[in-house]
Amino acid sequence: TDVVLKHRGTIDKYMGDCIMAFWNAPVDDREHASHACEAALEMRRRLLELNQRLEEEARIENKPFQRIEIGIGINTGDCCVGNMGSAQRFDYSVLGDEVNLASRLEGQSKTYGVDIVVGQNTSAQIQGFALLELDLIRAKGKNKPVRIFALVGDGTLLETPEFKELGQYHEAMLSSYRDRQWEETKKLIEKCRSCDSAQKHKALYDLYLSRALAFESNPPALDWDGVYVALTK
């Protein structure tokens, strides 16, 4: 909550273990997409500090340690914003397809093994962030496919030689995959792994390797467009 408010966000509601927040209302914010991404990255940093503290407490008390992990979905678009409800009770909230898609993107964090997933509208409005394209997907309940990205870091990471090299191999891997070049895709996956020294994206490259192997033995239909159809929210 503190992180959202610090980066000019508005808390919408708490739903179980979920925080829903939005930007650019009630006060206009020209940099709303960037502020949402900055908030997500600070949440990651704060969670790392929390886990380190909890792990130390567990060690001192000789108790098992269970790491806390989160998934974040960020999307940008036109929404209906205002007081929603009835004469008896209402909340200041947001509604619309773009809001629903943000929720779907959060759900895909598990699929791709990343903690922050942003939609193509958000990626088009931000600069100075390190992004890796994850996939072209058709989210559950949606007809139009969208490109989704992992928010890997800020501008500092973006300018490192290591990330630039990873980005080049990663882009080539996706291009090869969509061109049905399965052998080349597998080679490029290994190049990506070698650039990903901390193995932060191991689950992502495991996913694409399994897809390439599956398509090698059972090729997709001739009209396959590279779109992944998400079966879960």
Side-chain angles (χ1 to χ4, degrees), residues 149-211:
F149 300 80
L151 177 57
V152 183
D154 58 15
T156 302
L157 177 64
L158 179 65
E159 295 303 319
T160 62
E162 294 80 10
F163 183 78
K164 289 181 178 180
E165 185 178 25
L166 172 61
Q168 291 174 349
Y169 283 127
H170 184 88
E171 185 177 338
M173 183 274 291
L174 288 178
S175 177
S176 178
Y177 168 78
R178 289 163 183 162
D179 286 342
R180 305 166 182 251
Q181 303 298 316
W182 314 125
E183 195 61 39
E184 182 66 14
T185 299
K186 291 188 291 183
K187 292 178 181 177
L188 287 166
I189 287 172
E190 293 310 311
K191 292 284 189 181
C192 292
R193 290 191 198 275
S194 66
C195 296
D196 185 26
S197 57
Q199 295 298 295
K200 291 183 178 180
H201 307 292
K202 180 180 184 302
L204 174 62
Y205 295 124
D206 286 348
L207 173 66
Y208 272 97
L209 179 59
S210 67
R211 287 186 186 179

Side-chain angles (χ1 to χ4, degrees), residues 30-34 37 74-77 105 118-129 131 146-149 151:
R30 285 178 169 271
E31 302 298 323
H32 52 84
S34 293
C37 291
I74 302 175
N75 191 44
T76 303
L105 297 185
V118 305
Q120 62 187 24
N121 291 347
T122 304
S123 70
Q125 291 196 24
I126 60 176
Q127 293 182 336
F129 291 91
L131 298 171
V146 295
R147 292 188 189 277
I148 62 173
F149 300 80
L151 177 57

Side-chain angles (χ1 to χ4, degrees), residues 80-96:
C80 181
V81 186
N83 290 324
M84 314 286 184
S86 66
Q88 289 78 26
R89 179 173 176 174
F90 58 82
D91 291 309
Y92 186 75
S93 187
V94 291
L95 294 174

Side-chain angles (χ1 to χ4, degrees), residues 41-109:
L41 291 175
E42 184 167 348
M43 286 181 186
R44 175 192 285 165
R45 291 192 295 271
R46 295 277 287 271
L47 183 63
L48 176 62
E49 295 168 2
L50 174 63
N51 276 318
Q52 289 173 341
R53 186 168 73 248
L54 293 176
E55 186 174 19
E56 178 62 15
E57 290 174 0
R59 185 189 65 78
I60 293 172
E61 298 174 8
N62 196 28
K63 293 180 179 180
F65 167 65
Q66 178 63 54
R67 182 176 300 278
I68 299 173
E69 297 181 347
I70 60 174
I72 301 173
I74 302 175
N75 191 44
T76 303
D78 292 334
C79 312
C80 181
V81 186
N83 290 324
M84 314 286 184
S86 66
Q88 289 78 26
R89 179 173 176 174
F90 58 82
D91 291 309
Y92 186 75
S93 187
V94 291
L95 294 174
D97 283 346
E98 303 295 353
V99 180
N100 296 337
L101 181 56
S103 175
R104 301 290 189 269
L105 297 185
E106 183 278 323
Q108 292 303 315
S109 63

